[in-house]
């Protein structure tokens, strides 16, 4: 799908983890505790490889690869991102994010959150941030059949925001930080901004961004 930079942002699509808020350190430590609970000591490299993906899925794959079979229910009984990450009182939106959202809303843009994390946790955090009222749509992990890097999550968000506008991607800008997320947004046809991502993710995006405070269009 051909992509050009929109003259104005009609649809602003934001990944949550790492973009809206810096949850990655909380995820790394949660995953480390849970993997240890099941008898496996992960390396930092293994834990960092989960970034941008569903860590509850990747952790079980890692356990299975090391001969430890854990059911989904057994894993979720220990791994509780809703309370331990999105309910963490120390979690805050990244600097400048709230002001950017208010500016986008004032300019008539619609905002969606597009994440590989459970929707309940996203709602919980956004509500606590006082930002839930700014959001027009949320696409969480359980709302799609294919996760990032597949384009389905971003396409689903555009479907909700654009209400049948077949050309919605031409007015869409996505903000993501992982290689999987950038690939998903690009494949969905959105102009893609890599926020503080690794070099490979920045190279795959249309542009990169280090600071929401100084962001301008």
């Amino acid at each position: 799908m051909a992509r050009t930079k929109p003259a104005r942002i009609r649809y602003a699509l934001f990944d949550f983890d790492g973009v809206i808020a810096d949850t990655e350190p909380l995820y790394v430590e949660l995953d480390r505790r849970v993997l240890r609970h099941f008898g496996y000591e992960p390396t930092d490299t293994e834990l960092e490889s989960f970034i941008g993906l569903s860590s509850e899925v990747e952790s079980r794959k890692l356990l299975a690869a090391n001969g430890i079979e854990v059911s989904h229910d057994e894993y979720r009984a220990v791994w509780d991102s809703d309370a331990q990450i999105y309910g963490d009182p120390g979690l805050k939106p990244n600097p400048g994010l709230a002001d950017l959202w208010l500016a986008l809303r004032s300019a008539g843009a619609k905002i969606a959150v597009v994440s590989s994390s459970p929707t309940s946790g996203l709602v919980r955090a956004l509500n606590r941030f006082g930002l839930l009222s700014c959001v027009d749509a949320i696409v969480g992990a359980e709302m799609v059949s294919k996760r990032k890097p597949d384009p389905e999550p971003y396409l689903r968000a555009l479907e909700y925001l654009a209400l049948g506008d077949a050309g919605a991607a031409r007015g869409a800008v996505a903000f993501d930080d992982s290689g999987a997320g950038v690939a998903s947004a690009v494949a969905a046809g959105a102009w893609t901004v890599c926020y503080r991502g690794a070099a490979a993710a920045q190279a795959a995006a249309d542009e990169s961004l280090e600071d929401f405070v100084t962001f301008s269009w």
Side-chain angles (χ1 to χ4, degrees):
M1 182 182 297
R3 295 173 302 109
T4 57
K5 185 171 183 175
R8 70 180 183 90
I9 302 175
R10 296 176 59 201
Y11 308 110
L13 315 172
F14 291 82
D15 177 47
F16 189 97
D17 300 298
V19 177
I20 293 175
D22 187 13
T23 59
E24 304 301 354
L26 296 174
Y27 261 111
V28 167
E29 291 313 309
L30 174 59
D31 291 336
R32 191 189 309 276
R33 291 195 303 271
V34 175
L35 287 166
R36 283 174 174 168
H37 173 85
F38 289 109
Y40 182 76
E41 183 63 42
T43 66
D44 289 344
T45 299
E46 287 171 331
L47 292 170
E48 289 167 3
S49 73
F50 298 170
I51 293 175
L53 303 172
S54 174
S55 64
E56 62 174 309
V57 173
E58 299 305 312
S59 291
R60 289 178 58 219
K61 288 181 182 178
L62 180 59
L63 288 171
N66 286 276
I68 304 171
E69 295 295 335
V70 177
S71 72
H72 173 79
D73 289 343
E74 289 172 330
Y75 195 86
R76 286 307 302 266
V78 181
W79 189 88
D80 184 0
S81 65
D82 194 4
Q84 299 179 55
I85 294 179
Y86 302 101
D88 189 310
L91 187 65
K92 307 292 182 185
N94 282 325
L97 186 280
D99 289 338
L100 172 58
W101 278 19
L102 291 173
L104 287 168
R105 297 285 292 182
S106 295
K110 292 184 177 181
I111 295 173
V113 175
V114 186
S115 175
S116 295
S117 298
T119 304
S120 60
L122 305 176
V123 171
R124 181 174 187 168
L126 291 166
N127 193 44
R128 194 164 52 76
F129 294 166
L131 294 175
L132 188 58
S133 62
C134 292
V135 178
D136 297 284
I138 296 175
V139 176
E142 69 277 28
M143 298 174 68
V144 293
S145 58
K146 297 179 181 177
R147 299 182 181 183
K148 302 173 184 178
D150 192 272
E152 183 182 349
Y154 279 106
L155 290 173
R156 180 65 52 82
L158 287 173
E159 176 187 332
Y160 292 157
L161 294 182
L163 299 176
D165 178 4
R170 290 194 293 271
V173 177
F175 299 82
D176 213 307
D177 66 328
S178 69
V182 166
S184 174
V186 168
W191 187 261
T192 304
V193 178
C194 181
Y195 177 77
R196 295 183 178 178
Q202 292 187 28
D206 296 299
E207 55 185 281
S208 59
L209 176 67
E210 290 296 318
D211 188 354
F212 284 126
V213 174
T214 58
F215 176 75
S216 62
W217 196 257

